[in-house]
Amino acid sequence: RDEEFHQYGVYFDDDVVQFYVDQEPSLRLSRQEAKERGRTWPFDQPQHAVLNVALGPDVRGEDLPASMTVSEITVWECGVPFD
């Protein structure tokens, strides 16, 4: 578990999805790459945000209870987050 606050973002359109951590791109996938890998492309339809705290199998008792603090959620109509 990380004690520091982080800023997360995601940009998607009909052809690409790009994830950001602390304003730095961290993962990018294109519609073409998904198609080549035999995967579906859900980013050309409405999306929902799901936030959760996931705990792995090696969780120790002192790690519980776990929590997540969310300061704000911003939704852009278009464009890349943080630009």
Side-chain angles (χ1 to χ4, degrees):
R1 197 168 17 160
D2 201 339
E3 297 297 325
E4 299 296 319
F5 288 98
H6 296 283
Q7 192 175 36
Y8 298 93
V10 62
Y11 168 82
F12 66 90
D13 60 27
D14 289 349
D15 296 310
V16 68
V17 61
Q18 172 74 57
F19 295 92
Y20 296 83
V21 178
D22 296 331
Q23 301 185 13
E24 296 294 324
S26 62
L27 176 68
R28 181 181 193 279
L29 182 65
S30 72
R31 176 192 289 267
Q32 182 63 34
E33 290 170 313
K35 182 179 176 182
E36 290 169 1
R37 296 174 185 172
R39 297 182 180 232
T40 59
W41 186 256
F43 301 105
D44 55 357
Q45 54 193 323
Q47 301 291 304
H48 301 274
V50 177
L51 307 175
N52 72 344
V53 176
L55 302 173
D58 60 345
V59 136
R60 300 178 311 258
E62 62 267 17
D63 293 332
L64 298 174
S67 66
M68 171 175 45
T69 302
V70 178
S71 65
E72 67 182 271
I73 297 174
T74 305
V75 177
W76 285 264
E77 289 289 325
C78 60
V80 179
F82 316 118
D83 276 353

